Amino acid sequence: MRILLVEDEVRLAENVAAALREIPGYAVDCASDGQIGASLASNRCYDLIILDLMLPLLDGQGVLRKLRADSDLTPVLILTARGEATSIIELLNTGADDYLAKPFDLGELIARSKALIRRGKGVAHPLLRLSDVELDTLQQSVTRAGHLIDLTPMEYHILEYLMHRPKVIVSKRELLEHLYDYNWEHHSNVIEAHVSNLRRKLDWGATEPSIETLRGRGYRLSLREQPRG
């Protein structure tokens, strides 16, 4: 998942970005003021925006208002210092999805971030299931027909992204945008290699193919959805 962190406190931004990047498949772009943050957010390639309120040039509430005025529904987690005048009720009414008061625990921020990303994709439960494939987003493990499958971090995250969009054709560009930050040099053949390895591991010994390749369009999971028991 790709996260935009808009925070002007350098040390805090570095710590938060480092913690998020330790999660397999998470990419983080950072902006140090509200104008840069709003500009990056306009690309609409983010799965979550973490937004400080007290920012140079354009404050966090201004960024939030701009996002929602542009019909951008990306989940937004607000970071707010205790004693700031802006009320939580006003922030939530403006379109914020959650908030954390500074100082905060990094573990709590990560847990809230994961929950917001899941809800933003219409999935409230941390266990994703399609056909006989189960992906546990908390333990970051994958099984098929009950057998544990050893995936690399990027293979895991490609599968997680596809399982959040089970009926959707996902292009290589979309995968690149959501799995890598802007500091990484993008090559679509990297995605092809990861998907090829992922498909080989998922389909070993299985009768049902897992991932379709639609030439010139992208990838789509061919696994069937099953009702949660």
Side-chain angles (χ1 to χ4, degrees):
M1 302 298 163
R2 190 169 177 179
I3 296 174
L4 173 61
L5 172 62
V6 190
E7 169 62 66
D8 65 325
E9 294 181 42
V10 175
R11 180 167 296 180
L12 177 59
E14 289 176 348
N15 289 339
V16 170
L20 291 169
R21 286 172 178 144
E22 287 181 359
I23 306 171
Y26 273 54
V28 182
D29 294 334
C30 296
S32 57
D33 66 58
Q35 286 188 356
I36 295 175
S39 175
L40 289 174
S42 68
N43 294 320
R44 301 203 180 194
C45 59
Y46 296 103
D47 303 288
L48 173 69
I49 296 172
I50 300 175
L51 182 62
D52 186 31
L53 278 185
M54 300 295 288
L55 293 166
L57 303 180
L58 178 63
D59 66 20
Q61 192 165 22
V63 175
L64 180 60
R65 289 186 188 281
K66 180 172 175 52
L67 288 173
R68 298 314 185 219
D70 293 340
S71 301
D72 187 337
L73 302 180
T74 305
V76 174
L77 172 62
I78 294 288
L79 303 180
T80 176
R82 296 183 191 280
E84 284 177 340
T86 305
S87 77
I88 297 304
I89 293 174
E90 185 178 355
L91 286 169
L92 294 174
N93 286 339
T94 302
D97 297 277
D98 198 0
Y99 69 95
L100 264 180
K102 297 178 181 177
F104 52 80
D105 180 82
L106 273 176
E108 183 177 359
L109 179 139
I110 289 172
R112 287 176 183 260
S113 297
K114 288 182 175 179
L116 285 173
I117 290 172
R118 286 199 305 270
R119 289 204 297 270
K121 299 184 182 305
V123 179
H125 198 280
L127 183 64
L128 306 179
R129 180 185 301 155
L130 283 173
S131 186
D132 56 353
V133 174
E134 288 192 350
L135 184 149
D136 189 323
T137 60
L138 297 181
Q139 298 185 12
Q140 296 178 355
S141 61
V142 174
T143 61
R144 183 161 194 181
H147 299 290
L148 186 65
I149 299 174
D150 184 22
L151 300 180
T152 66
M154 190 53 67
E155 291 162 3
Y156 166 85
H157 205 62
I158 289 174
L159 179 61
E160 181 183 355
Y161 190 83
L162 292 174
M163 289 188 73
H164 278 300
R165 300 165 64 80
K167 297 179 181 178
V168 177
I169 299 172
V170 178
S171 68
K172 284 185 283 188
R173 180 181 180 84
E174 181 176 347
L175 285 172
L176 283 168
E177 288 179 343
H178 285 267
L179 300 180
Y180 296 96
D181 61 34
Y182 56 47
N183 292 317
W184 198 80
E185 187 176 356
H186 297 171
H187 296 292
S188 62
N189 58 350
V190 170
I191 292 293
E192 290 175 7
H194 285 309
V195 171
S196 175
N197 291 333
L198 172 60
R199 181 189 286 118
R200 176 176 51 78
K201 292 179 180 179
L202 278 177
D203 292 352
W204 188 85
T207 57
E208 182 186 7
S210 56
I211 301 173
E212 294 178 79
T213 298
L214 297 99
R215 186 178 298 275
R217 300 168 68 189
Y219 305 101
R220 181 173 57 194
L221 282 178
S222 52
L223 301 167
R224 297 185 303 274
E225 289 186 81
Q226 288 186 341
R228 191 175 300 282

